[in-house]
Amino acid sequence: MDQGIGRVRNTGREAQVEAALSVRQPLYTPEQRLRRDASRWTLVQGILAPLQFLVFLISLGLVLRTLATGEGLAVAHASIVVKTLVLYSIMVTGAIWEKEVFGKYLFAPAFFWEDVFSMGVIALHTAYLVALTTGWLGTEGLLLLALAAYLAYVVNAAQFLWKLRLARLDEARRRRPEDRPLGAAAPAMEAAK
């Protein structure tokens, strides 16, 4: 009985998402979708994003261990530096990808708010590097700054995952025959004759 209710709830959520999708513009125009699919930077982003998340998880564990026990400080700092370098890599290649797909290095309308928040993530990671090299903060302050940067990263990653979900829903909607404009069905019908 609960499974039936769960299905109704899921159908309700799916209907809400569908309604929201029908009101908003698709994430990509057909031309942008072609450029996205043809860009080598799409693959690079697809590799760097999960790599960054893995580095984040390892580093987070090391930072929390150091905060809890006081041990492993050098390894925790090294992991934060590696996480920051991976972040810089994904940001630079992401800007190149955005230029290829949308014609702008940053702040294309489709990813405007994600890019705005990314600037905050970069600022926090960079502040950590500056504080580490200048001795501006003590050990606990450095690690807490790293945790703040990581929290911002998690929020930003969720933004991008949401956009990935929207893009997949757009693609599924685009492929459904009943959602195609009338003119789009005509060539297929003519070919079938």
Side-chain angles (χ1 to χ4, degrees):
M1 187 154 180
D2 286 340
Q3 290 178 345
I5 293 171
R7 277 192 215 131
V8 170
R9 287 183 187 149
N10 284 341
T11 303
R13 276 187 242 139
E14 290 170 5
Q16 289 173 343
V17 169
E18 281 294 319
L21 285 174
S22 66
V23 172
R24 73 166 182 80
Q25 292 292 322
L27 194 57
Y28 301 98
T29 67
E31 297 80 19
Q32 290 166 342
R33 190 173 46 256
L34 289 172
R35 289 192 299 266
R36 177 202 66 193
D37 294 346
S39 175
R40 69 175 180 227
W41 298 107
T42 301
L43 176 62
V44 170
Q45 292 295 290
I47 293 168
L48 285 177
L51 173 65
Q52 180 178 211
F53 190 72
L54 177 63
V55 171
F56 156 73
L57 288 176
I58 292 168
S59 183
L60 178 63
L62 292 169
V63 169
L64 292 175
R65 178 182 138 222
T66 301
L67 281 170
T69 67
E71 298 176 10
L73 180 62
V75 176
H77 284 314
S79 72
I80 299 164
V81 171
V82 169
K83 163 67 174 74
T84 302
L85 294 175
V86 175
L87 172 68
Y88 289 163
S89 298
I90 201 168
M91 291 304 299
V92 169
T93 58
I96 296 168
W97 174 86
E98 204 166 321
K99 172 71 170 165
E100 281 192 6
V101 175
F102 297 103
K104 296 178 80 170
Y105 281 108
L106 285 171
F107 308 113
F111 288 94
F112 180 83
W113 290 110
E114 291 77 6
D115 288 347
V116 167
F117 208 85
S118 291
M119 294 302 109
V121 174
I122 288 174
L124 286 167
H125 281 76
T126 302
Y128 169 84
L129 291 180
V130 169
L132 178 66
T133 57
T134 63
W136 178 55
L137 292 174
T139 299
E140 187 176 343
L142 276 169
L143 296 177
L144 291 175
L145 178 58
L147 289 178
Y150 285 4
L151 177 61
Y153 159 73
V154 168
V155 171
N156 197 220
Q159 287 178 302
F160 281 104
L161 287 173
W162 175 249
K163 284 295 173 91
L164 179 61
R165 169 113 171 102
L166 290 178
R168 287 185 176 163
L169 290 170
D170 286 345
E171 186 66 19
R173 188 174 61 167
R174 184 182 70 83
R175 291 181 182 210
R176 289 193 310 224
E178 66 271 13
D179 287 344
R180 289 189 191 136
L182 291 176
M189 294 173 75
E190 287 298 318
K193 288 183 181 179

